[in-house]
Amino acid sequence: MNLLALPVLIPLLAGSLLLLLPNRQLRSLLAFFAAVLVLVCELIILQNVLSGKVLVLQMANWPAPWGISLVADILTGIMLTLSGLTGLLTVLFASSSLQHQAHWGKTKGLNALRERYGFQALLQFLIMGVNMSFLTADLFNLFVAFEVMLIASYGLLLLGNELPQLREGFKYVIVNLIASAIFVVAAGLVYGLVGTLNMADIAFKIAEYTAVQGPDARIRLLAMLLALVFATKSALFPLGFWLPNSYPVPAAAASAFFAAMLTKVGVYSLTRTFTLMFPEETFIKTLLLVLAGLSMLVGALGMITQSRWRHAFAFANVSSVGYLLMGIFTGANAGLAAALYYLIHSVLVIFCLFLIAALAERIAGLKFTLSGHLNTYPYLALAYFIAALALAGLPPTSGFIAKYALIASLLNAGGGLHTGLAIAAVLSGFLLLYAAMKLWRSFFWGEAKVVHKVALPAGMKLITGLSFGLMVLLAVFAGPVYQVSNRAAMQLATNQAYLEAVLVRIDGPRIGDEPKPLEQDGLTEEVN
Amino acid sequence: MPKGLKPDMEILLPLLAAALVGAGMFLLLARALIRVILGLALLAYGVNVSILLTTASPEPLEPPLINMPGPYADPLPQALILTAIVIGFGTTALLLVLSLRAYQVTGTDHVQELTEKPDPVELVVSYADPETPSLSPEFAPKEDALEDKKGNAKS
């Protein structure tokens, strides 16, 4: 299935071309076409995996445990589609928002510079890295995909050279480099211990080993290292300190994509690690479950303390990662399905909130302390109000469905810990609601002290409207989407389809066989 | 740990990796940006040595070529290390430029002082004044003075 390589190759080509193009319109056009093409490919992939197949591409036709495989099951299909949708909207939003100058203060003239120095190209490379990390079925290739993604994100974060960017960018780079170093060590040790880097093969060999030998401390150590790395990337509570300050500093389009997708890559990797490779590590899973509950609360509390748009939503992002991981590590299929629905919801809502923040920052600067914008910007107020309800989890939004399913699955799982977490989830929902309404009161509500109207670029408004529409569609089509996430969860729970698709080939050897001796034809004689 | 590695190397190589990682961590905790960067580089070297160790062998092995009789050396860890080195090279270069730029902008390479520089929070002064209704900046007279202020908190 060569289709699987396209979501990686198209952004790579487009990004490289974008660096060469001299003209802003051409760049916007090319970036747009690339994003549309990628989205089409990803929709075709999604359609294919929904028919029950697991798509596999063995790179260069090397059989599975030796070559690098790209694999797509339903979870991958969902993630790819989300990345394609938010990627397309981000590209469009960037073309619009970077074209028009920000009105206030120092950021004047900055956006044009950002566009001039490769914003769109970096965005394509970022999308490439994100797609590659969703598709790859090889641990070391996952590391490479993370690095592609992170290096592009360093570029986007630092583009503009503002003081906050330099300061937070430095922390961001350092934290991620340390995590990457741990990731390399973990990958190397996995290879040393298990003898393979293919995730399916690792899963198979570890299952075989533990079935005979019982649990092994070395395997737990490896699982712990990987959990540490991915928890750092997904900003889980004690490791997520870098996120709330660093995500608000780049250009608005970049922060929206960061918040929507980058932490979800970490969440995706954690899901793969603990459903596929290390399904038996219950201790680490419980640990992650507790930390997820804590980060849910910390994110919500953090959001209350903030007085700047994107800082507040960055904390909301931390909280949503907590909800997500809580569902994933509940240990029940229902929890996983709820978490996957929550994942779709969270990507769309956080994305929409960051776009709203971008518009609001155009109106009144980085803070939301000036009241009375309800009359001047009624549609923005409406969009924010619905998105805030979705964030907090009130009906009739998708947030309610997602959180209801999550909490119900926690209560069904029973046990003191799960009940406590369910209570924490409800509490955190109320805290989020309070924070969101505090923002509402201080920006939209109240008496308008100044008559003030800024002409917002039509493109930015349109894209925000589109992302808002996606969020509404998710609530309207909650039934079908929930069924898809249910099927994805079933597929993750057994892994049978995944393992069979990756490791068995028509003409290749089966896993566990000794590799066939290489045929010594012609070549040997030629050398001799 | 590979079987039968010669005892001296079996101790020396992990010690080397540990020393590199330890030195790297020590430098990472320093307050000067350049030390942090050097610490990361050392950390990466320690990591590479430890990966090399995972499939090390005491016997001289054949390179994995078809016409060699074997047993073959495992080339994969070296490929991993090569990739990691290339990526580390790129990120170190980026970090050096970043710290240089941070030094140029702030005049310090000390982490604490860098953190204490406040954000230039953008709230336009004329906007907060209820007496004068502000115009959209598109219609307002152009002023480039705001662009010159670097790093000054205004709120």
Side-chain angles (χ1 to χ4, degrees), chain A residues 463-499:
Chain A
I463 304 303
T464 313
L466 281 180
S467 81
F468 178 72
L470 281 179
M471 201 179 73
V472 173
L473 280 183
L474 181 67
V476 174
F477 293 103
V481 176
Y482 202 87
Q483 267 177 354
V484 169
S485 56
N486 218 342
R487 285 180 55 196
M490 304 256 277
Q491 213 177 40
L492 280 178
T494 59
N495 277 325
Q496 205 53 43
Y498 187 97
L499 289 177

Side-chain angles (χ1 to χ4, degrees), chain A residues 40-290:
Chain A
V40 169
C41 291
E42 286 165 348
L43 286 176
I44 297 174
I45 291 174
L46 181 69
Q47 194 204 358
N48 270 307
V49 292
L50 281 182
S51 70
K53 280 183 282 184
V54 174
L55 306 181
V56 182
L57 171 64
Q58 311 285 7
M59 297 303 275
N61 223 6
W62 282 83
W66 295 288
I68 289 172
S69 327
L70 299 185
V71 185
D73 60 357
I74 299 182
L75 175 62
T76 313
I78 294 174
M79 299 305 296
L80 281 178
T81 311
L82 284 175
S83 131
L85 280 173
T86 49
L88 175 61
L89 291 182
T90 311
V91 164
L92 287 172
F93 195 81
S95 340
S96 170
S97 68
L98 296 186
Q99 176 188 1
H100 297 273
Q101 300 300 312
H103 301 309
W104 304 121
K106 278 211 316 155
T107 43
K108 243 179 172 181
L110 190 62
N111 279 335
L113 271 181
R114 282 174 169 155
E115 215 286 331
R116 173 74 190 78
Y117 288 98
F119 187 92
Q120 293 281 15
L122 284 170
L123 196 56
Q124 291 296 324
F125 292 133
L126 182 67
I127 292 172
M128 169 196 166
V130 169
N131 287 347
M132 194 157 127
S133 13
F134 290 147
L135 278 168
T136 187
D138 181 280
L139 200 57
F140 196 76
N141 199 233
L142 182 65
F143 163 72
V144 175
F146 266 60
E147 286 306 305
V148 170
M149 177 181 93
L150 288 172
I151 290 173
S153 77
Y154 303 152
L156 284 174
L157 196 78
L158 295 169
L159 205 56
N161 255 328
E162 294 292 283
L163 175 67
Q165 286 188 307
L166 292 170
R167 192 190 55 215
E168 303 303 334
F170 196 80
K171 288 184 213 160
Y172 179 78
V173 176
I174 296 289
V175 168
N176 278 305
L177 282 184
I178 295 173
S180 295
I182 299 174
F183 196 177
V184 179
V185 157
L189 292 182
V190 165
Y191 185 73
L193 187 66
V194 189
T196 177
L197 283 168
N198 185 298
M199 289 184 197
D201 205 16
I202 293 171
F204 188 87
K205 291 204 167 132
I206 284 183
E208 207 174 42
Y209 181 81
T210 40
V212 180
Q213 307 277 340
D216 191 319
R218 290 176 298 178
I219 292 176
R220 173 165 294 177
L221 178 74
L222 292 178
M224 194 63 124
L225 280 177
L226 287 177
L228 181 68
V229 174
F230 297 140
T232 312
K233 309 267 180 191
S234 56
L236 200 63
F237 158 55
L239 303 167
F241 55 89
W242 53 271
L243 187 142
N245 278 329
S246 64
Y247 274 18
V249 295
S255 359
F257 191 75
F258 282 14
M261 289 315 294
L262 290 204
T263 46
K264 307 310 182 280
V265 175
V267 172
Y268 170 86
S269 309
L270 271 179
T271 315
R272 274 273 180 263
T273 310
F274 287 97
T275 56
L276 183 66
M277 289 193 280
F278 304 99
E280 305 297 327
E281 298 296 335
T282 38
F283 169 70
I284 300 177
K285 282 183 179 176
T286 316
L287 187 66
L288 287 172
L289 190 62
V290 174

Side-chain angles (χ1 to χ4, degrees), chain B residues 88-108:
Chain B
F89 181 72
T91 44
T92 309
L94 174 82
L95 268 176
L96 284 172
V97 173
L98 174 55
S99 67
L100 179 65
R101 182 66 200 165
Y103 176 69
Q104 283 172 345
V105 169
T106 61
T108 174

Side-chain angles (χ1 to χ4, degrees), chain A residues 376-392:
Chain A
T376 13
Y377 301 96
Y379 294 112
L380 187 67
L382 177 74
Y384 172 73
F385 192 76
I386 305 285
L389 289 189
L391 178 72

Side-chain angles (χ1 to χ4, degrees), chain B residues 10-70:
Chain B
E10 202 175 354
I11 296 168
L12 274 182
L13 278 177
L15 276 183
L16 176 63
L20 283 169
V21 171
M25 285 312 291
F26 176 73
L27 284 177
L28 266 180
L29 298 176
R31 291 300 174 92
L33 294 187
I34 189 70
R35 287 174 150 247
V36 175
I37 296 169
L38 289 177
L40 270 175
L42 285 182
L43 188 67
Y45 294 143
V47 162
N48 290 342
V49 170
S50 66
I51 294 177
L52 194 61
L53 206 57
T54 54
T55 54
S57 162
E59 309 299 330
L61 296 176
E62 301 283 350
L65 296 172
I66 291 176
N67 57 342
M68 294 285 189

Side-chain angles (χ1 to χ4, degrees), chain A residues 191-489:
Chain A
Y191 185 73
L193 187 66
V194 189
T196 177
L197 283 168
N198 185 298
M199 289 184 197
D201 205 16
I202 293 171
F204 188 87
K205 291 204 167 132
I206 284 183
E208 207 174 42
Y209 181 81
T210 40
V212 180
Q213 307 277 340
D216 191 319
R218 290 176 298 178
I219 292 176
R220 173 165 294 177
L221 178 74
L222 292 178
M224 194 63 124
L225 280 177
L226 287 177
L228 181 68
V229 174
F230 297 140
T232 312
K233 309 267 180 191
S234 56
L236 200 63
F237 158 55
L239 303 167
F241 55 89
W242 53 271
L243 187 142
N245 278 329
S246 64
Y247 274 18
V249 295
S255 359
F257 191 75
F258 282 14
M261 289 315 294
L262 290 204
T263 46
K264 307 310 182 280
V265 175
V267 172
Y268 170 86
S269 309
L270 271 179
T271 315
R272 274 273 180 263
T273 310
F274 287 97
T275 56
L276 183 66
M277 289 193 280
F278 304 99
E280 305 297 327
E281 298 296 335
T282 38
F283 169 70
I284 300 177
K285 282 183 179 176
T286 316
L287 187 66
L288 287 172
L289 190 62
V290 174
L291 291 180
L294 284 175
S295 65
M296 191 168 69
L297 285 171
V298 166
L301 286 171
M303 189 182 169
I304 296 176
T305 62
Q306 294 302 310
S307 60
R308 278 172 289 180
W309 284 97
R310 283 190 272 170
H311 284 77
F313 295 150
F315 271 108
N317 194 13
V318 172
S319 176
S320 78
V321 165
Y323 275 103
L324 257 175
L325 289 177
M326 196 178 68
I328 286 166
F329 294 110
T330 307
N333 241 0
L336 200 50
L340 293 183
Y341 183 80
Y342 189 88
L343 189 140
I344 303 171
H345 149 82
S346 142
V347 166
L348 295 180
V349 168
I350 297 281
F351 189 69
C352 184
L353 280 173
F354 267 82
L355 294 193
I356 291 172
L359 286 176
E361 282 176 2
R362 285 289 170 96
I363 295 166
L366 297 178
K367 287 194 171 187
F368 51 75
T369 42
L370 210 65
S371 63
H373 287 88
L374 183 56
N375 284 331
T376 13
Y377 301 96
Y379 294 112
L380 187 67
L382 177 74
Y384 172 73
F385 192 76
I386 305 285
L389 289 189
L391 178 72
L394 291 186
T397 58
S398 54
F400 173 70
I401 302 160
K403 285 194 181 168
Y404 178 82
L406 265 182
I407 291 167
S409 76
L410 277 172
L411 289 176
N412 282 338
L417 177 62
H418 287 88
T419 315
L421 282 172
I423 295 169
V426 175
L427 180 66
S428 152
F430 280 121
L431 290 175
L432 282 175
L433 181 66
Y434 173 72
M437 287 307 117
K438 180 176 158 247
L439 201 159
W440 168 264
R441 262 188 26 216
S442 49
F443 190 75
F444 293 107
W445 206 245
E447 190 190 345
K449 293 205 181 77
V450 251
V451 182
H452 180 79
K453 196 149 172 72
V454 176
L456 292 170
M460 287 171 76
K461 284 195 280 192
L462 180 70
I463 304 303
T464 313
L466 281 180
S467 81
F468 178 72
L470 281 179
M471 201 179 73
V472 173
L473 280 183
L474 181 67
V476 174
F477 293 103
V481 176
Y482 202 87
Q483 267 177 354
V484 169
S485 56
N486 218 342
R487 285 180 55 196

Side-chain angles (χ1 to χ4, degrees), chain B residues 105-155:
Chain B
V105 169
T106 61
T108 174
D109 81 329
H110 195 268
V111 176
Q112 191 70 37
E113 287 170 31
L114 197 60
T115 317
E116 281 162 6
K117 293 265 183 190
D119 282 8
V121 173
E122 309 288 347
L123 258 187
V124 171
V125 184
S126 63
Y127 182 64
D129 182 8
E131 299 300 316
T132 50
S134 58
L135 286 167
S136 169
E138 278 166 11
F139 310 113
K142 287 196 175 173
E143 43 177 353
D144 294 322
L146 283 165
E147 282 186 341
D148 298 330
K149 295 177 188 166
K150 279 195 175 161
N152 296 331
K154 283 199 289 183
S155 69

